[in-house]
Amino acid sequence: MNQNWLSKFPPLPEDFSGIGQPIDLARWELSRFLPESAFSLKVEPEMGDAFLLSGSTITGGETGVLYGAYALLRHLQGGAPLPASSRPRYPLRMINCWDNMDGSVERGYAGRSLFFEGGQFVYHPARLRHLGRMMASVGLNVLCINNVNVHEPAQGLLDELLPDLSALADLFRPFGVRLMVSVDFSMPLRAGLATADPLDGRVQTWWAQTAARVYREVPDLAGFLVKADSEGRPGPFTYGRSHAEGANLLARALKPFGGVLVWRCFVYNCRQDWRDASVDRPKAAFDTYQPLDGQFDENVILQIKNGPFDFQVREPVSPLLLSMEKTNMALEVQLAQEYTGQQIDLYTMAPLWKEIFADLEPDRLSAVAAVSNLGRDDNFFGHPLAAANFFAFGLLTWNPEISPEETVSLWIALTYDLDASSRQTLLRWMMNSRRIYEKYTAPLGLGWMITPHSHYGPNPSGYEYDLWGTYHRASHTAVGIDRTAAGTGYLTQYPPELQARYQNASSCPDLLLLFFHRLPYDFVMKDGRTLIQRIYDDHFEGAAEAAELEKALAAIPFPEPDRTVILERAEKQRLNAENWRDVINTFFHRLSDLPDARGRTIYP
Ligand code: GCV
């Protein structure tokens, strides 16, 4: 079994009967490396996830002792700094799996589901324990196992499938991992009720009874996750109710059991007429939720994607995350590389999250969630280096102050025995990988020039005349959308400092220029190049760097089987980058009729 950053840890025991609680696991893990006399564990339940390390004693809450043990082992194995005490910034540090019960994974790039096949729970306990260990080792504590698009038979997770859910919860308990399930707002209809209206007493009773049944089977369930009125999912709008009324309905059912209701804010018009420039999709979440601030119950958490669109390579931080003063919020990021290379192209995410945290004031959040990049492939992540994203996500949600380099370099040290120069080379390329991908795919903040639906490879007009609200509006003279007050007004959703940052094309950061502004191709950029030249140059550079990346990875002595997988993917990435370069440059060249100042080949 592939161990990735736990590669220096011995496999978990097959017989897990003696390991029922996190403290048992902590003891077992530590005793693989230290004589039992060299450490002691002390549980202070009120410490929760926090721990203190003093001399040879780890003191912590029931889960804290386990996190303390892993912190110590990260230090021993990879040289990570050893804190005297530590507590996570957020109580909920969540992985959201988009797994369907037929075994497929929506936007999954690492094989089929780890939990389901053929409409049933089908899994290897040892594999899932390894997943639990990976989560616990980086401090992650909630696992939502099913897709937010809840397809049958997953609706049965609150009903006939409860015994299976309960068995799975038992399996993850020693790792301090609590389960969560995605539920569908219209579930009362499945149960035979005539409505799912949140203000209907029968619907309220149904949810209350359902929650009671669920918590009898899984007393420590973290709660429910809901995608409502989004991309065709049912929701309160059907009944003329607000999302506060919808979310509170479920939250009140969960409250007696200490459960949270995580409500996603991915609501926008996905049937837009592209000719109608008055609708601007990035405005949608703020417009829907900001007026409801203060109306959500205490155990509701609004889960908000990091940017206003949908996990593009670069977006500004979602203004909704900056504007809710009286509502619990979770940041949602995507480990699955849906738009960012699908775990074929190398794409290290820690720098991206750091940017978001920098604009966000991390203390405004109460939770962080990531869409999973896991699957049934031997290495769990498809691309062995994509594991670094899962690892870094855990460490950064524990402590958003940690530097991206530190997480990636620790991941490298734990995962591979490489000489110092190979470690440095790998770190450098991993840290640059997002920028490389961005150069060959997304000109200056535009995004969405990707192949519709599959979301791999270029198609500059693929989404342009479609329903999804993701337009670049490139013409023969100009490209981008004016989102200032003079344009769609999106920029006015931000606090003044961010408005000032993006307001003027002359001072707006280059990498988001075309997100906020519509500019002619002969617009002169800060470095003196024209916009069109910058688009050409970035695409040539990005493809050249993808070729260099392939060579650099080939020179690193990765162990097998990782080496073969890494090199196969690096080759695909190079070809993908060449394709993007040619398709995007040709698109803009044909539209603008402007030559490349350096006379390189752009296909007619
Ligand atoms: C789970 C995007 C993806 C969908 C996903 C959706 C969401 O639209 O393409 O696959 O659905 O986001 O986040 O709900």
Side-chain angles (χ1 to χ4, degrees):
M1 183 178 300
N2 190 297
Q3 295 266 307
N4 210 286
W5 67 89
L6 300 169
S7 59
K8 293 167 195 163
F9 287 52
L12 290 170
E14 278 182 23
D15 176 9
F16 231 68
S17 52
I19 304 179
Q21 296 300 325
I23 188 167
D24 306 325
L25 182 61
R27 189 167 295 114
W28 187 90
E29 291 279 28
L30 289 170
S31 61
R32 299 310 99 180
F33 297 99
L34 301 167
E36 295 246 5
S37 55
F39 64 88
S40 68
L41 300 173
K42 203 166 138 215
V43 173
E44 305 267 5
E46 69 286 357
M47 287 180 72
D49 290 344
F51 62 85
L52 296 170
L53 295 170
S54 127
S56 58
T57 305
I58 301 178
T59 310
E62 280 163 20
T63 41
V65 284
L66 182 60
Y67 298 132
Y70 282 123
L72 181 58
L73 293 175
R74 280 201 301 272
H75 170 70
L76 296 174
Q77 299 294 321
L82 192 59
S85 71
S86 189
R87 65 176 56 252
R89 182 70 64 94
Y90 310 112
L92 299 173
R93 304 171 301 280
M94 311 187 276
I95 294 293
N96 293 177
C97 298
W98 287 354
D99 291 27
N100 299 312
M101 290 203 67
D102 65 3
S104 62
V105 178
E106 181 152 349
R107 311 303 177 183
Y109 311 106
R112 292 178 70 76
S113 169
L114 284 163
F115 313 108
F116 309 118
E117 193 53 69
Q120 295 176 349
F121 278 76
V122 175
Y123 54 81
H124 292 290
R127 290 277 285 172
L128 293 195
R129 287 200 186 101
H130 189 63
L131 167 58
R133 190 188 206 190
M134 289 195 289
M135 288 184 69
S137 71
V138 292
L140 296 169
N141 65 352
V142 175
L143 179 66
C144 185
I145 57 168
N146 65 308
N147 192 355
V148 288
N149 295 325
V150 187
H151 308 295
E152 284 289 2
Q155 303 233 4
L157 285 169
L158 303 189
D159 196 351
E160 66 275 6
L161 296 169
L162 271 175
D164 296 295
L165 190 66
S166 166
L168 197 65
D170 292 347
L171 188 149
F172 279 105
R173 203 161 284 122
F175 302 93
V177 171
R178 295 158 72 205
L179 298 188
M180 181 173 274
V181 281
S182 297
V183 306
D184 189 283
F185 197 75
S186 68
M187 277 183 181
L189 304 181
R190 181 190 195 249
L193 270 65
T195 176
D197 180 352
L199 298 194
D200 187 297
R202 288 161 304 172
V203 173
Q204 293 165 358
T205 306
W206 184 85
W207 278 108
Q209 288 172 346
T210 300
R213 191 171 61 237
V214 170
Y215 277 84
R216 265 197 303 278
E217 298 281 341
V218 188
D220 57 355
L221 189 81
F224 295 161
L225 173 64
V226 185
K227 172 177 179 179
D229 291 314
S230 167
E231 301 186 329
R233 305 318 299 168
F237 288 164
T238 310
Y239 307 97
R241 308 301 183 196
S242 77
H243 273 222
E245 288 166 323
N248 291 343
L249 161 77
L250 278 80
R252 286 170 197 169
L254 293 167
K255 190 173 165 62
F257 312 100
V260 294
L261 190 265
V262 183
W263 187 268
R264 296 179 82 232
C265 297
F266 188 52
V267 172
Y268 68 97
N269 176 4
C270 65
R271 305 205 62 75
Q272 190 178 329
D273 180 344
W274 60 269
R275 283 161 287 236
D276 179 1
S278 70
V279 183
D280 187 21
R281 172 168 159 181
K283 292 169 78 178
F286 183 99
D287 286 348
T288 307
Y289 291 98
Q290 210 290 323
L292 301 178
D293 193 18
Q295 295 180 31
F296 293 94
D297 282 8
E298 237 178 305
N299 63 329
V300 173
I301 299 178
L302 293 189
Q303 186 165 300
I304 302 166
K305 290 191 181 187
N306 63 268
F309 263 131
D310 189 11
F311 303 134
Q312 297 303 290
V313 60
R314 193 174 297 267
E315 297 182 39
V317 68
S318 166
L320 186 60
L321 283 162
L322 307 177
S323 70
M324 301 293 271
E325 301 288 342
K326 294 172 256 165
T327 305
N328 296 317
M329 291 184 293
L331 169 71
E332 179 179 308
V333 300
Q334 193 185 40
L335 295 170
Q337 291 174 231
E338 175 176 356
Y339 296 98
T340 52
Q342 306 203 348
Q343 286 140 251
I344 297 168
D345 300 31
L346 184 65
Y347 187 94
T348 300
M349 296 179 175
L352 185 167
W353 303 326
K354 199 68 186 178
E355 257 169 44
I356 303 163
F357 280 124
D359 280 342
L360 196 58
E361 296 171 27
D363 285 339
R364 297 174 72 126
L365 300 174
S366 23
V368 183
V371 177
S372 151
N373 57 352
L374 294 159
R376 214 183 290 165
D377 282 3
D378 277 352
N379 63 21
F380 284 94
F381 300 100
H383 195 314
L385 305 182
N389 288 331
F390 190 99
F391 178 85
F393 173 71
L395 296 194
L396 271 158
T397 58
W398 185 280
N399 172 16
E401 260 85 61
I402 194 171
S403 86
E405 284 88 344
E406 193 179 333
T407 63
V408 177
S409 112
L410 177 60
W411 176 83
I412 294 172
L414 289 168
T415 305
Y416 297 120
D417 276 323
L418 295 172
D419 57 87
S421 128
S422 298
R423 275 207 307 271
Q424 272 313 315
T425 307
L426 181 56
L427 177 65
R428 200 175 59 244
W429 284 101
M430 288 179 78
M431 292 304 293
N432 286 339
S433 58
R434 172 183 179 220
R435 183 71 194 115
I436 296 173
Y437 183 84
E438 178 176 36
K439 281 189 195 172
Y440 63 77
T441 57
L444 307 165
L446 278 187
W448 296 110
M449 293 192 141
I450 206 152
T451 305
H453 313 299
S454 76
H455 298 166
Y456 192 80
N459 186 344
S461 300
Y463 273 124
E464 195 57 14
Y465 308 106
D466 211 333
L467 307 163
W468 300 90
T470 52
Y471 314 118
H472 51 67
R473 304 211 184 270
S475 73
H476 66 290
T477 55
V479 58
I481 291 181
D482 179 358
R483 293 196 160 96
T484 66
T488 71
Y490 166 80
L491 186 59
T492 64
Q493 296 181 341
Y494 284 100
E497 323 80 78
L498 270 81
Q499 291 197 30
R501 186 196 295 167
Y502 298 124
Q503 176 64 38
N504 297 310
S506 54
S507 52
C508 177
D510 283 357
L511 298 180
L512 284 168
L513 193 58
L514 298 178
F515 184 95
F516 285 104
H517 297 279
R518 177 166 186 79
L519 295 170
Y521 295 116
D522 60 2
F523 174 82
V524 180
M525 311 275 297
K526 294 181 201 66
D527 66 4
R529 284 182 285 178
T530 59
L531 173 62
I532 192 74
Q533 192 56 40
R534 177 63 192 274
I535 293 175
Y536 294 150
D537 287 352
D538 276 9
H539 284 79
F540 279 111
E541 261 171 47
E545 285 168 7
E548 284 172 44
L549 168 66
E550 185 186 8
K551 285 196 201 117
L553 293 175
I556 296 175
F558 292 111
E560 290 293 358
D562 291 19
R563 182 177 166 79
T564 301
V565 182
I566 290 169
L567 296 188
E568 274 167 12
R569 289 180 191 224
E571 185 188 7
K572 286 189 185 155
Q573 171 168 5
R574 172 174 47 82
L575 298 172
N576 188 36
E578 287 169 5
N579 194 23
W580 272 97
R581 175 198 63 198
D582 292 340
V583 171
I584 300 293
N585 281 347
T586 298
F587 173 81
F588 282 108
H589 184 246
R590 291 185 72 187
L591 266 179
S592 68
D593 203 22
L594 292 167
D596 169 36
R598 293 170 60 191
R600 290 162 293 194
T601 304
I602 294 179
Y603 294 93

